[in-house]
Amino acid sequence: MRLHVGCAMWTHAPWNGRFLPHPLPASERLEAYATWCTAVEGNTTFYATPARATVEMWASQVSPDFRFVLKLPKVITHDLRLHDAADKELHAFLTAMEPLGPRAHALWIQLPASFSPSELGSLAGFLHRAPSAFRYAVEVRHPAFFEQERVAQQLEQILGRVGAEWVPFDTVTLFQTAATSYGEREAWMNKPRLPRRTRALTQYPIVRYIGRDDVAVTIEGWQYLADQTASWLSEGRSPTVFLHTPDNVESLALARRFYDDVRSRVPELDPLPEPVPAEPPTLF
């Protein structure tokens, strides 16, 4: 019975000296984060494929059961839109990620909002050609996938053929009331406004949840997800849940709070390890 929780990044300036020791060299930042959380979104890989040496450094800082959900580079998903020409880029990306080994929990195919049901053939072909040694997770943002049951079923059939998961980005709490801060207003402009989805297709559901900068509102908004996660665990699934807020100031602590909320529903879930202290202990 395994639940993994994490954030959108492993370094964030507001965490320094409060949650995580500061300063820390790059070779120790992920290691410190991993004492708080057991998974992380690999968002930086969307912009460029990292050097293999960088990936080796990541792998050296975390245990084999830590989970990276790695976003495919945008040249694959947005520029080439999964067409055959993307295969060369995918091969280069997978080669760079090899040092992660089992830590590469899933390759995350985040598609642009303009990727419509008419392009499902491209997705099906890409997943068919992609190496089966990796697990895949797909995030769609076109409204038709959420509003038209027939279209949703077509997508589920394509994903089911290769054992891929559908990754929902739950923004319901974010859009529930008017934005009250700069961060929330920016999130309103950039995040997708889509219906909530709770159906898992595989043994490894992945959910991205974004709340508000108000901690209490964020916690209240995830109660349905804590219930759903507990249900998945009881079914023998092993979910991964990522916690976001518009400014992400509290997201590191919120990820652990979410884990504890699920554990209150599923007491046999093992506790998370104690995080590394932000400051070294003193004699007085």
Side-chain angles (χ1 to χ4, degrees), residues 13-92:
W15 300 346
N16 295 340
R18 182 180 174 212
F19 297 124
L20 303 177
H22 183 71
L24 275 179
S27 59
E28 298 178 18
R29 293 171 188 167
L30 176 56
E31 182 178 6
Y33 167 90
T35 68
W36 281 81
C37 293
T38 52
V40 72
E41 291 184 359
N43 282 292
T44 59
T45 55
F46 179 69
Y47 301 100
T49 297
R52 188 180 176 97
T54 299
V55 181
E56 290 173 348
M57 181 180 66
W58 296 348
S60 70
Q61 295 182 63
V62 295
S63 66
D65 64 350
F66 185 89
R67 291 181 178 177
F68 286 86
V69 177
L70 297 157
K71 191 182 291 188
L72 291 190
K74 66 178 180 180
V75 66
I76 296 174
T77 56
H78 288 53
D79 298 341
L80 298 174
R81 300 179 82 88
L82 307 182
H83 291 163
D84 293 3
D87 294 356
K88 180 179 178 180
E89 300 289 343
L90 177 64
H91 176 74

Side-chain angles (χ1 to χ4, degrees), residues 2 29 32 36 87-88 105 115 140 143 145 151 169 177 247 251 258 266 276 281:
R2 300 297 301 274
R29 293 171 188 167
W36 281 81
D87 294 356
K88 180 179 178 180
H105 177 66
F115 193 96
V140 291
F145 292 111
V151 170
F169 190 12
T177 57
D247 62 15
S251 59
F258 178 82
V266 188
V276 62

Side-chain angles (χ1 to χ4, degrees), residues 6-216:
C7 300
M9 71 288 283
W10 65 76
T11 60
H12 191 39
W15 300 346
N16 295 340
R18 182 180 174 212
F19 297 124
L20 303 177
H22 183 71
L24 275 179
S27 59
E28 298 178 18
R29 293 171 188 167
L30 176 56
E31 182 178 6
Y33 167 90
T35 68
W36 281 81
C37 293
T38 52
V40 72
E41 291 184 359
N43 282 292
T44 59
T45 55
F46 179 69
Y47 301 100
T49 297
R52 188 180 176 97
T54 299
V55 181
E56 290 173 348
M57 181 180 66
W58 296 348
S60 70
Q61 295 182 63
V62 295
S63 66
D65 64 350
F66 185 89
R67 291 181 178 177
F68 286 86
V69 177
L70 297 157
K71 191 182 291 188
L72 291 190
K74 66 178 180 180
V75 66
I76 296 174
T77 56
H78 288 53
D79 298 341
L80 298 174
R81 300 179 82 88
L82 307 182
H83 291 163
D84 293 3
D87 294 356
K88 180 179 178 180
E89 300 289 343
L90 177 64
H91 176 74
F93 180 76
L94 296 182
T95 300
M97 295 301 116
E98 280 179 354
L100 290 179
R103 301 166 187 84
H105 177 66
L107 301 181
W108 169 18
I109 304 169
Q110 185 188 82
L111 296 170
S114 60
F115 193 96
S116 71
S118 66
E119 296 179 87
L120 280 176
S122 296
L123 175 61
F126 180 83
L127 290 172
H128 177 73
R129 298 189 307 272
S132 60
F134 294 88
R135 186 177 296 120
Y136 297 89
V138 177
E139 180 183 339
V140 291
R141 296 188 172 189
H142 193 285
F145 292 111
F146 300 86
E147 297 171 356
Q148 300 178 28
E149 182 62 26
R150 180 182 59 83
V151 170
Q153 289 176 353
Q154 289 175 343
L155 175 57
E156 288 187 358
Q157 289 171 0
I158 289 170
L159 299 179
R161 290 179 196 139
V162 294
E165 188 56 82
W166 182 335
V167 181
F169 190 12
D170 180 359
T171 61
V172 171
T173 299
L174 172 67
F175 290 108
Q176 207 159 30
T177 57
T180 60
S181 68
Y182 172 80
E184 290 180 354
R185 287 191 291 272
E186 185 176 35
W188 267 49
M189 293 172 60
N190 297 320
K191 305 303 181 186
R193 190 168 188 164
L194 296 167
R196 182 171 280 162
R197 176 184 166 83
T198 58
R199 175 175 163 80
L201 303 182
T202 71
Q203 290 295 105
Y204 301 97
I206 300 170
V207 178
R208 308 175 69 217
Y209 168 87
I210 182 168
R212 301 291 291 261
D213 290 333
D214 185 318
V215 167

